[in-house]
Amino acid sequence: LKLLPSPCLFFKSINMSNVGVPIKLLHEAEGMKVTVEMKNGEIYRGLLLSSEDTMNMSLSEVLRTARNGQITKLPNVYLRGSSIRFIALPELLKNAPVFQKVTAMKRKMEAAQQQRQQQQGGQKRKRGD
């Protein structure tokens, strides 16, 4: 039995170029344990099933810690992105491909900047010149 990717996953991969690095990183974390702090002070820790470009997300096997410290086990939750204050992602994502691309772009920009400075003789121009 061969499983084909769902149309949603295909559509998501096409539109990934339109989002920033934090959202790409959130998508990379799908299938991993994450911790999400909400604006109201609640904390959710669970397996990230899916995420959207708006930071809406579905978690499973969730431990919810209320503001008073009470812990509740929930099978599934859906969190609204606009209510999220902070997301803690796994350390494993430090080696995510999206960071390698950002590092390569940064190196290119620095090299181009150095080349421009060398062409100008290392002198900076003043405003109005």
Side-chain angles (χ1 to χ4, degrees), residues 81-99:
S82 63
S83 299
I84 294 172
R85 176 181 294 146
F86 181 82
I87 304 170
L89 300 173
E91 290 282 321
L92 175 70
L93 290 174
K94 284 184 177 180
N95 301 321
V98 68
F99 280 134

Side-chain angles (χ1 to χ4, degrees), residues 26 29-32 34 36 46-52 55-62 75-80 84:
L26 181 62
E30 290 177 4
M32 300 180 188
V34 297
V36 182
L47 185 68
L48 180 61
L49 295 178
S50 64
S51 60
E52 301 171 17
M55 288 184 17
N56 296 341
M57 62 184 71
S58 296
L59 302 178
S60 68
E61 304 170 20
V62 179
N76 292 298
V77 295
Y78 184 82
L79 303 175
R80 183 177 170 95
I84 294 172

Side-chain angles (χ1 to χ4, degrees), residues 4 19 26 28 34 40 42 47 52 57 59 62 67 70 78 82 89 111 114 119 127-129:
L4 297 174
V19 297
L26 181 62
E28 290 270 344
V34 297
N40 66 6
E42 294 177 338
L47 185 68
E52 301 171 17
M57 62 184 71
L59 302 178
V62 179
R67 290 174 56 181
Q70 181 183 0
Y78 184 82
S82 63
L89 300 173
Q114 285 179 346
Q119 288 175 349
R127 281 193 177 167
D129 282 355

